[in-house]
Structures are given as structure tokens and as C-alpha cells.
Amino acid sequence: QVQLVESGGGLVQAGGSLRLSCAASGRIFSIDPMGWYRQAPGKQRELVATILSGGSTNYADSVKGRFTLSRDNAKNTVYLQMNSLKPEDTAVYYCNAAVRGSRFQAPYDYWGQGTQVTVSS
């Protein structure tokens, strides 16, 4: 079993910054990819950003140039630095990790419990 522990959400004014962290623990051989999704009220969950163990990143168009995702492979942790936040960034942010328990296992998707990010105008 794998656990994802998220931290860093909160309330911030438009134009401000927040940093989210997500640490994975448990039976982990590899994690590829790892990243963040978000879900606003009344909307479907959407990709924010993902990162591979080699460092390649993928961002939603809506956050490019404002959000930066990084990863510490030794700690199985990802960090999402969110700058120039907008009210439309308000959502519950969920950490996601595609985890292999061994080299012979297919990846399995794990999700964190979510952390609220609220951006006031």
C-alpha cells in the first residue's frame, strides 16, 4: 500500500503564491509520473502538472508560466510552486502518483485526499 501526504494549501489573494507538497510512502519501486490535478466546484477534475522521474514536465495551458513542478526522487516528493495565482485557480488540488511496487508490476494510480486552494479577488 502507498500513502500520499499533501500539504501547503490555503487562502491567498490574487497575485499571491502558494507551494504544495506531496510525499509518497510505502511499497515503492518507482513512480512515473507524479503530479497534481484539481477540481473546482461543479467541474471535472483536470490535470495541473505532472513530472517524470527524469524531470520531464507537462503543464496545463492555464498554468504554464505561473506554476512550476519539481521532484525529489530520493524523497518520493513533488513540489508545486504556484505564482501569480488567480481566482480561477481556486479548487481542491489532488496529488497523483503512478506507482510500481516492484519492477514486475504494472503501475497503479494513487490519489491524495486533496488540499483546498482558495484565491480571493
Side-chain angles (χ1 to χ4, degrees), residues 35 65 69:
L69 183 62

Side-chain angles (χ1 to χ4, degrees), residues 11-35:
L11 172 65
V12 65
Q13 288 188 333
S17 298
L18 284 174
R19 189 190 194 213
L20 305 184
S21 299
C22 174
S25 63
R27 187 184 178 191
I28 299 170
F29 172 76
S30 67
I31 306 177
D32 260 331
M34 193 169 180

Side-chain angles (χ1 to χ4, degrees), residues 32-34 49-59 69-71 73:
D32 260 331
M34 193 169 180
T50 59
I51 187 168
L52 298 177
S53 57
S56 297
T57 52
N58 178 44
Y59 293 95
L69 183 62
S70 60
R71 177 170 177 164
N73 290 329

Side-chain angles (χ1 to χ4, degrees), residues 28-107:
I28 299 170
F29 172 76
S30 67
I31 306 177
D32 260 331
M34 193 169 180
W36 292 90
Y37 289 71
R38 68 186 181 187
Q39 188 167 17
K43 295 187 177 181
Q44 290 189 331
R45 191 172 297 189
E46 63 178 7
L47 169 75
V48 177
T50 59
I51 187 168
L52 298 177
S53 57
S56 297
T57 52
N58 178 44
Y59 293 95
D61 288 343
S62 59
V63 306
K64 283 180 181 177
R66 300 187 298 121
F67 292 11
T68 302
L69 183 62
S70 60
R71 177 170 177 164
D72 185 333
N73 290 329
K75 295 181 179 180
N76 290 322
T77 299
V78 291
Y79 307 95
L80 183 67
Q81 179 65 42
M82 305 185 293
N83 298 328
S84 302
L85 282 161
K86 304 175 181 180
E88 50 264 44
D89 294 317
T90 295
V92 178
Y93 283 68
Y94 295 92
C95 181
N96 172 262
V99 179
R100 289 179 184 266
S102 74
R103 68 172 63 192
F104 305 109
Q105 291 181 333

